[in-house]
């Protein structure tokens, strides 16, 4: 039996594992990607429901029976919720792409803490962006840079002149001040996704 854990991070997925339990996958500041089981409260229970998608939580788990088992949550606190994202389809879809990216690349990181800070900042920025793909592009770039990958020296420097200037505007300006056309943002995003899939161990699922 292993020791209990104190986790702090953002919920990236929540799946039912039967009538009584939910499997939550969250990105924690210390261990990165982590799965936790939450019980579903009964109709007469005063216990709060399990955390929702994109909730920022602090969680205490029970000790695991083995290294391979998923721990059960003993208690949790919802620190912040990004639920307003779900009211806007385009923003919610982009948040889903962010979640998928972290689910694919959130294990075995050099240091999860900066990537959690990036995740929180990106989710908070979505509602301020006129075009949510701007947030996704900035997140991909910063995630790769945080992992020590030569995204500036290889990808950014390899862009054509006009496209490189557009990329610099996106990366240097706050999301609400970016004036680059949507089609150019899509071109940059597609280019960066291809670079990550072919030149690094990072993987982007589904390139649009």
């Amino acid at each position: 039996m292993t020791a209990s854990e104190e986790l702090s991070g953002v919920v990236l997925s929540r799946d039912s594992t039967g009538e009584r339990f939910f499997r939550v996958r969250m990105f924690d500041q210390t261990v990165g990607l982590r799965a936790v089981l939450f019980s579903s409260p009964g109709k007469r229970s005063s216990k709060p429901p399990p955390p929702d998608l994109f909730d920022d939580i602090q969680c205490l788990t029970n000790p695991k029976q083995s290294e391979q088992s998923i721990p059960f949550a003993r208690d949790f606190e919802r620190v912040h919720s990004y639920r307003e994202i779900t009211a806007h389809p385009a923003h919610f879809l982009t948040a889903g792409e962010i979640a998928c990216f972290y689910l694919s690349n959130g294990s075995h990181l050099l240091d999860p803490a900066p990537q959690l800070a990036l995740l929180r900042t990106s989710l908070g920025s979505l509602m301020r962006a006129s075009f949510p793909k701007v947030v996704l592009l900035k997140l991909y770039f910063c995630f790769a840079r945080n992992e020590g990958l030569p995204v500036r020296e290889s990808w950014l420097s390899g862009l054509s002149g006009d496209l490189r200037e557009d990329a610099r505007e996106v990366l240097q300006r706050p999301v609400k001040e970016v004036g680059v056309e949507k089609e150019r943002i899509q071109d940059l995003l597609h280019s960066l996704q291809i670079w990550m899939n072919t030149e690094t161990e990072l993987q982007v699922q589904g390139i649009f």
Side-chain angles (χ1 to χ4, degrees):
M1 185 176 293
T2 62
S4 60
E5 287 184 302
E6 292 185 14
L7 304 174
S8 176
V10 175
V11 173
L12 300 176
S13 71
R14 193 182 85 162
D15 306 302
S16 175
T17 60
E19 295 183 359
R20 296 181 55 195
F21 301 104
F22 287 90
R23 183 184 68 165
V24 166
R25 288 185 292 175
M26 61 181 292
F27 189 80
D28 171 71
Q29 63 184 358
T30 303
V31 298
L33 198 60
R34 175 68 87 226
V36 182
L37 290 173
F38 286 80
S39 60
S40 180
K43 295 182 179 179
R44 299 181 181 179
S45 174
S46 59
K47 188 176 180 180
D52 209 346
L53 192 62
F54 303 124
D55 279 352
D56 199 332
I57 66 171
Q58 292 180 346
C59 174
L60 179 65
T61 70
N62 287 320
K64 295 194 296 182
Q65 297 299 317
S66 68
E67 286 293 339
Q68 289 72 36
S69 63
I70 300 176
F72 283 86
R74 182 189 306 174
D75 192 19
F76 86 96
E77 177 185 0
R78 184 179 289 104
V79 178
H80 184 74
S81 175
Y82 299 95
R83 200 168 301 167
E84 69 272 12
I85 295 172
T86 63
H88 303 269
H91 296 78
F92 184 61
L93 287 174
T94 299
E97 290 182 80
I98 292 173
C100 287
F101 180 73
Y102 270 76
L103 289 170
S104 297
N105 301 284
S107 301
H108 312 298
L109 298 177
L110 296 174
D111 183 6
Q115 305 297 26
L116 176 60
L118 174 63
L119 175 60
R120 286 168 168 159
T121 299
S122 298
L123 292 175
S125 297
L126 273 176
M127 298 309 301
R128 298 193 298 272
S130 57
F131 185 46
K133 296 293 186 180
V134 168
V135 176
L136 188 61
L137 177 61
K138 291 166 82 75
L139 178 137
Y140 284 160
F141 183 92
C142 293
F143 193 103
R145 185 186 60 193
N146 289 346
E147 287 302 293
L149 299 171
V151 61
R152 180 180 300 276
E153 297 81 2
S154 177
W155 173 73
L156 182 61
S157 297
L159 295 172
S160 62
D162 291 345
L163 206 55
R164 185 165 59 249
E165 290 305 310
D166 287 340
R168 284 175 174 161
E169 177 177 342
V170 171
L171 297 171
Q172 293 173 3
R173 289 179 176 271
V175 294
K176 62 182 179 180
E177 296 180 10
V178 173
V180 179
E181 295 180 357
K182 292 182 179 180
E183 292 76 10
R184 303 283 281 184
I185 299 294
Q186 292 283 22
D187 290 342
L188 288 167
L189 190 57
H190 185 75
S191 172
L192 182 53
Q193 289 170 332
I194 290 176
W195 180 84
M196 286 193 294
N197 277 344
T198 58
E199 302 296 329
T200 79
E201 294 184 357
L202 299 177
Q203 292 298 307
V204 183
Q205 305 296 323
I207 297 179
F208 302 99

